Amino acid sequence: MPDLRRYLPVLEWGRTYDRSALSNDTIAAVIVTIMLIPQSLAYALLAGLPPEAGIYASIAPIILYAIFGTSRALAVGPVAVVSLLTASAIGQVAEQGTAGYAVAALTLAFLSGGFLLLLGVLRLGFLANFLSHPVIAGFITASGILIATSQLKHILGISAHGHTLPEMVTSLLASLNEVNLITMLIGVLAVMFLFWVRKGLKPFLKRLGASPMVADIATKAGPVGAVVVTTLAVWGFGLDASGVKIVGEVPQSLPPLTMPGLSGELVQALLVPAILISVIGFVESVSVAQTLAAKKRQRIDPNQELIGLGAANIGAAFTGGYPVTGGFSRSVVNFDAGAETPAAGAYTAVGLAIAAVALTPLVYYLPKATLAATIIVAVLSLIDLSILKKTWGYARADFIAVVATILLTLGLGVEVGVASGVIVSILLHLHKTSRPHVAEVGRVPGSEHFRNIHRHKVETDPSLVTLRVDESLYFVNARFLEELIQKRVTEGCEIRNVVLMFSAVNDVDFSALESLEAVNQRLSDMGVGLHLSEVKGPVMDRLKRAHLINDLNGQVFLSQYDAWLALNQLRSERPGNTAAE
């Protein structure tokens, strides 16, 4: 049973489910459902799919995640960035509005789900760490700009296209003569209203004497208010006849049973985008889940999260949806509304299913400009240009990574942006570790501690050099250490012993081993002893298996202080040489 609970977390939290949890989860589900109805329709529009696809993608996936996921508050469904990635990917293989476009979306969800499941079963969640936070922040910021720009055509009531910022801006400028003034009025007023709802409605209601809960629910339901008012306006004044584009007929049904297309050509075209969507979706989802779990001193299992998200995406593929992941805004609303278990998500799915059956006729006259306004207001919170200032002041390499990711995403598209983000992250890691921090250390007077000679007043011995290696040694940085030792030894003709302090070395790969063997031989030929100190057990085991320890021309010391006592040629009672700070 413990092994089964590991893969089916529902068996764990389901055993302790009680009436209090049911009440809290139900309240949270009602609030999240109200928020998700317009949001799901809007994100389907962003993905280039029929509006019902957004609702379908929010039903089965939520239920499947509730069974397999480990977060108590994560709400799974369509999100802005993944919707944009979906539109970019399937727009390359099918024309929007065709049956092939919808099938491609199903296939993308299926491939994404399969990839996530594979990573989860193989417990490879750590691979997502190859995307550094600055790169993710840069990509999400650029995506927010692209998403907001892509929705301006709906706000203005014009036809425009493009997947990059230059293409979008050029297309928008070329179509300005087609602007529909009524549509623009609806879109601008909706944007203004939604911004006010987000920032000013809650304080306004509190001043009127509303309770915090009522004010909070009203704020969350703000987009619904915009949907209702603009829909009634279009219906009442017949604005669709004046060129205002509306949602139109939405099927009044539960999610249908669908089949993704698995032709070799389609799979080949969508495989790489599916992997990129999976990685971005997982990183976004797990970061949200971990943040919310920490607030209640809970924990999540990243590898099981992969399985939960994989199951959710496969569910979307067979129920008329498209790729999904854990969304920040809906998850925070779910958490703040008091959700205690993943059952809140299942109840949300029930609410959305009811909406799909009973409420879809009510959105027939819903203007697309309102949905675009919903998207714009939601994604502008993703844009964080302060990351540029933060990284510039902290680490120029991270700043370059952020700028490169933003510019490549805006200029070449989201897929190139994601791929370049991964590559930049890996290159940054290789760059940082290719020149590991190696400090020459000396003894702090009157103690057994050793510190950097350039930062502290320490005792040194001209015949003894101790180098503290602050990084694991592998093929990228092995040559650097080898050359550093060679340079230091040739500079000091009095040197008789070199000690490598390995307290921070967690691993030594074969390339690094060969470098250490070369250093040992070279120093031996020069009459200089090579010694090791504070070597960790696993590292020592590997060095012994490779016979380096047996061939070492020096000794291995348990501590650096032992090495100092054994190799220091100065009298212990006489002050040693002191390096200035």
Side-chain angles (χ1 to χ4, degrees), residues 314-380:
I314 289 178
F318 288 99
T319 56
Y322 65 98
V324 298
T325 192
F328 176 76
S329 59
R330 69 182 66 188
S331 297
V332 170
V333 170
N334 197 36
F335 179 87
D336 291 343
E340 290 192 18
T341 73
Y347 302 152
T348 299
V350 173
L352 290 172
I354 294 173
V357 172
L359 302 181
T360 51
L362 301 179
V363 300
Y364 182 91
Y365 288 100
L366 172 61
K368 290 186 176 181
T370 302
L371 295 180
T374 302
I375 293 173
I376 290 174
V377 174
V379 301
L380 286 181

Side-chain angles (χ1 to χ4, degrees), residues 48 90-102 104:
I90 60 182
Q92 307 295 324
V93 299
E95 185 177 348
Q96 187 172 327
T98 64
Y101 193 91

Side-chain angles (χ1 to χ4, degrees), residues 4-258:
L4 190 58
R5 286 201 300 267
R6 172 180 168 185
Y7 291 104
L8 290 172
V10 64
L11 299 178
E12 183 71 33
W13 57 262
R15 291 186 304 111
T16 58
Y17 199 73
D18 55 20
R19 182 174 298 178
S20 174
L22 172 63
S23 175
N24 291 332
D25 287 345
T26 303
I27 293 173
V30 171
I31 295 173
V32 174
T33 300
I34 292 172
M35 185 191 81
L36 283 190
I37 292 174
Q39 193 179 82
S40 297
L41 297 172
Y43 288 152
L45 177 72
L46 176 60
L49 292 163
E52 64 269 17
I55 296 179
Y56 295 162
S58 300
I59 297 178
I62 297 180
I63 296 174
L64 288 168
Y65 179 81
I67 296 172
F68 295 100
T70 59
S71 172
R72 300 291 181 100
L74 191 71
V76 172
V79 300
V81 174
V82 171
S83 297
L84 177 65
L85 286 166
T86 297
S88 176
I90 60 182
Q92 307 295 324
V93 299
E95 185 177 348
Q96 187 172 327
T98 64
Y101 193 91
V103 171
L106 300 175
T107 304
L108 194 62
F110 180 77
L111 294 175
S112 178
F115 181 71
L116 289 167
L117 276 178
L118 179 64
L119 291 182
V121 171
L122 297 179
R123 307 192 70 76
L124 297 177
F126 69 90
L127 291 177
N129 297 332
F130 283 109
L131 272 175
S132 68
H133 174 71
V135 166
I136 294 173
F139 172 74
I140 291 178
T141 293
S143 297
I145 295 172
L146 286 177
I147 291 169
T149 305
S150 72
Q151 296 308 297
L152 290 178
K153 63 183 180 183
H154 297 296
I155 296 291
L156 300 174
I158 61 180
S159 57
H161 62 275
H163 295 291
T164 67
L165 188 61
E167 290 175 353
M168 291 179 189
V169 172
T170 301
S171 181
L172 285 170
L173 292 176
S175 303
L176 285 180
N177 60 327
E178 304 172 7
V179 170
N180 184 294
L181 294 179
I182 299 176
T183 299
M184 185 173 70
L185 180 63
I186 292 173
V188 171
L189 289 177
V191 169
M192 294 172 61
F193 172 74
L194 291 173
F195 269 120
W196 176 76
V197 165
R198 177 167 289 199
K199 300 292 184 182
L201 180 59
K202 186 182 292 186
F204 175 74
L205 292 176
K206 286 183 177 179
R207 287 195 299 270
L208 293 180
S211 67
M213 176 176 288
V214 170
D216 192 54
I217 293 176
T219 301
K220 301 293 190 305
V224 176
V227 167
V228 171
V229 171
T230 55
T231 300
L232 289 175
V234 172
W235 171 73
F237 295 102
L239 299 180
D240 55 317
S242 300
V244 175
K245 295 180 181 178
I246 59 176
V247 168
E249 186 176 354
V250 178
Q252 194 173 354
S253 68
L254 292 172
L257 180 62
T258 54

Side-chain angles (χ1 to χ4, degrees), residues 269-555:
L270 295 178
L271 183 58
V272 172
I275 292 174
L276 295 177
I277 288 174
S278 301
V279 172
I280 289 295
F282 172 66
V283 170
E284 179 180 354
S285 178
V286 80
S287 61
V288 173
Q290 287 176 332
T291 300
L292 297 180
K295 292 183 178 182
K296 289 191 175 182
R297 298 194 176 187
Q298 298 168 347
R299 62 175 296 275
I300 65 165
D301 179 356
N303 290 304
Q304 185 60 33
E305 285 297 289
L306 285 166
I307 294 176
L309 291 173
N313 275 279
I314 289 178
F318 288 99
T319 56
Y322 65 98
V324 298
T325 192
F328 176 76
S329 59
R330 69 182 66 188
S331 297
V332 170
V333 170
N334 197 36
F335 179 87
D336 291 343
E340 290 192 18
T341 73
Y347 302 152
T348 299
V350 173
L352 290 172
I354 294 173
V357 172
L359 302 181
T360 51
L362 301 179
V363 300
Y364 182 91
Y365 288 100
L366 172 61
K368 290 186 176 181
T370 302
L371 295 180
T374 302
I375 293 173
I376 290 174
V377 174
V379 301
L380 286 181
S381 63
L382 300 176
I383 300 174
D384 179 20
L385 295 178
S386 67
I387 190 68
L388 295 172
K389 181 180 179 181
K390 293 175 184 175
T391 53
W392 175 263
Y394 185 75
R396 297 297 166 83
D398 287 333
F399 172 79
I400 293 172
V402 173
V403 171
T405 304
I406 290 176
L407 293 179
L408 287 171
T409 302
L410 293 178
L412 299 177
V414 288
E415 292 182 17
V416 174
V418 177
S420 64
V422 174
I423 294 171
V424 169
S425 296
I426 295 174
L427 290 178
L428 275 177
H429 173 72
L430 293 177
H431 173 73
K432 290 176 182 177
T433 58
S434 66
R435 300 178 61 85
H437 183 262
V438 178
E440 184 172 340
V441 299
R443 177 175 176 251
V444 177
S447 74
E448 298 182 7
H449 300 292
F450 292 79
R451 294 292 185 268
N452 192 323
I453 66 171
H454 299 298
R455 293 179 177 269
H456 303 272
K457 292 182 178 180
V458 292
E459 296 176 353
T460 61
D461 179 351
S463 69
L464 174 65
V465 171
T466 297
L467 300 175
R468 189 189 69 220
V469 184
D470 294 334
E471 186 76 56
S472 292
L473 298 176
Y474 70 121
F475 65 95
V476 172
N477 59 26
R479 184 68 179 171
F480 172 82
L481 179 63
E482 185 178 342
E483 292 175 351
L484 180 66
I485 295 172
Q486 181 68 23
K487 180 181 178 181
R488 182 63 182 87
V489 171
T490 54
E491 286 176 349
C493 58
E494 301 179 61
I495 296 173
R496 294 290 176 266
N497 292 287
V498 173
V499 180
L500 296 181
M501 188 174 174
F502 270 23
S503 55
V505 176
N506 296 317
D507 188 32
V508 176
D509 77 353
F510 190 77
S511 297
L513 170 68
E514 290 185 327
S515 288
L516 291 175
E517 290 174 340
V519 169
N520 181 55
Q521 183 61 50
R522 194 173 296 128
L523 293 182
S524 180
D525 294 341
M526 297 171 64
V528 177
L530 176 64
H531 311 269
L532 304 178
S533 72
E534 303 188 12
V535 184
K536 294 182 177 180
V539 176
M540 178 65 78
D541 293 340
R542 298 184 69 175
L543 296 181
K544 284 181 178 179
R545 287 199 302 270
H547 306 296
L548 174 66
I549 301 303
N550 295 332
D551 297 337
L552 201 66
N553 69 47
Q555 304 176 57

